[in-house]
Amino acid sequence: MYDYLVVGAGLSGSVFARIMTDKGYKCLVIDRRDHIAGNVYSENIEGIEVHKYGPHIFHTDNERVWNFLNKYTSFNHFVYSPVANYKGEFYNLPFNMNTFYQLWKVKTPEEAKRKIEEQVIESGINEPKNLEEQAVSLVGKDIYEKLIKGYTSKQWGCDCKELPAFIIKRLPVRFVFDNNYFNHPYQGIPIGGYTKLVEKMLDGIEVRLDVDYLKEKDTYENIAKKIVYTGTIDEYYDYCFGELEYRSLRFETEVLDIPNYQGIAGMNYTDSETPYTRIVEHKHFEFSKGNADKTVITREYPNRWEKGDEPYYPINNDKNNELYEKYRKKAESDDKVIFAGRLGKYKYYDMDKAVADIFELTDSLDGRNKG
Ligand code: UDP
């Protein structure tokens, strides 16, 4: 008999299992895939760590999260600074003095602010009600048209007017020449890869792969006192209130016989015609480690999600959030299961937030169990 059955060997599940095992609880981790690490999984091809489920750049301002992960890996000094490719014109991201100079040839923060202000006033938007209005009132129409509109509508599969404003608030706007995509003090890629990191966290913990909990409920339902479920909450409850919506992705990975394809880890295609949102060249996450004559690139195509596809992003609009609330309430009164992670919580979590969320959970469980 186990104390916890952890469904999902991704970042959330692995952190949970590690912490609770160290506190003396007996955990069993299962995953329906044939590998650990969930969506942070990386696979070594030609000596290059390939991020199989999309690029993952770890960044945080949470010292506890940073210190915890550093027990299992060291991080390199990679800083994410993607370039936007709009119909062959290149712009630095996130929106900063480099971008403003490239767009308008403005040379000082004051000139840049004035340019944006002019466009914001012209738009007449006071209270932004959706992503389009939020974006235009933040950075003006030029940036919106060239760097946001196409990318966002491809990414989410709908018009920017139909999307919630909060998505775009993730992106910083800076009046300094600084191309660091993130504002956090800690950033990097685990040396040796994400899979190694998760492997280390799961060291000494029983893991069974190729086990689909929902298909093998008879065996696993009562194997532990409690279940920590990191899959989709609506599927767990057999869609009893209806289906939540997700956004999916399709990846096209190629090994090329050249040393360097695009000279940068991430290039975003921000026009609406190019069908993919970005090309990732994996070797640049690790400063060209691996086979010097080859490179691995991945084109990332946003995809409509249908039952059975991999869900990547929760679509947190009002309709889905209301539906999720029903599932959350049901889960609250369910003594058997606790939901965690991006899918279990139906939240657009970054990796550090997912880990911090597990800390909150394990702290409270420990208190409760002791109490
Ligand atoms: N975004 C954009 N242009 C870009 C990159 C991002 O408009 O070149 C917008 C887009 O709406 C996206 C959001 O910013 O959904 C958040 O981007 P982020 O890079 O944080 O997305 P993730 O890496 O999680 O896919």
Side-chain angles (χ1 to χ4, degrees), residues 93 147-148 151-152 156 167 170-171 181 268 270 313 348:
L93 293 172
L147 302 177
I148 298 173
Y151 187 96
T152 302
W156 298 97
I167 294 176
R170 290 167 61 92
L171 289 183
Y181 201 64
N268 289 3
T270 57
Y313 297 93
Y348 191 0

Side-chain angles (χ1 to χ4, degrees), residues 233 241 324-334:
I233 189 168
F241 300 124
Y324 167 70
E325 209 35 45
K326 288 189 189 166
Y327 284 111
R328 197 191 59 76
K329 287 225 173 81
K330 188 173 172 70
E332 218 171 44
S333 55
D334 188 336

